[in-house]
Amino acid sequence: MTTEAAPPPGSAGTPPATPTADDYTSVQQSAEFGELRSSYRSFAFPLTVAFIAWYLLYVLLSNYAGGFMGTKLFGNINVALVLGLAQFATTFLIAWFYARYAATKLDPKAEAIKARMEAAE
């Protein structure tokens, strides 16, 4: 099966250069890559710690504060159910927030590094 599709704009039909191990090492040691890694870590680590703390709070309350967790808020809805559903909401919120952060802060930096590596020969 063949296709008649034109190459993507800007590629001029030439395949990207294949970086060598030395290229990867030099990029890893560059200030630009360090800034990218720092941006990722400064976002991901605090958010991960906060979510784990929030999850452990839920587990500990479920184990040791049964009376509080069983408190009815309205109808058959109690505190445990609300906090359990909040765990799901928090998970989706964090995923959305990370996707937005990555698209605006991390991806442009990573794309610039990738483009420079593929252009080098």
Side-chain angles (χ1 to χ4, degrees):
M1 175 180 200
T2 61
T3 61
E4 300 298 323
S11 69
T14 59
T18 305
T20 64
D22 291 335
D23 292 335
Y24 284 109
T25 302
S26 66
V27 166
Q28 183 183 14
Q29 295 170 351
S30 71
E32 187 179 20
F33 186 77
E35 182 183 326
L36 174 63
R37 188 173 46 218
S38 175
S39 295
Y40 169 74
R41 287 180 178 168
S42 68
F43 179 87
F45 288 162
L47 209 54
T48 301
V49 169
F51 182 77
I52 289 172
W54 159 230
Y55 176 73
L56 289 176
L57 174 68
Y58 176 73
V59 171
L60 291 172
L61 285 173
S62 295
N63 281 328
Y64 301 110
F68 169 71
M69 295 296 268
T71 303
K72 292 195 183 246
L73 299 175
F74 49 92
N76 287 330
I77 308 298
N78 61 16
V79 173
L81 181 62
V82 171
L83 292 180
L85 292 174
Q87 290 287 321
F88 286 102
T90 305
T91 301
F92 289 112
L93 182 66
I94 289 172
W96 170 79
F97 190 43
Y98 174 76
R100 197 177 99 193
Y101 179 81
T104 59
K105 305 279 189 213
L106 303 177
D107 291 349
K109 293 176 186 178
E111 197 59 41
I113 293 170
K114 178 184 171 201
R116 193 173 56 256
M117 286 187 73
E118 290 177 345
E121 296 199 18

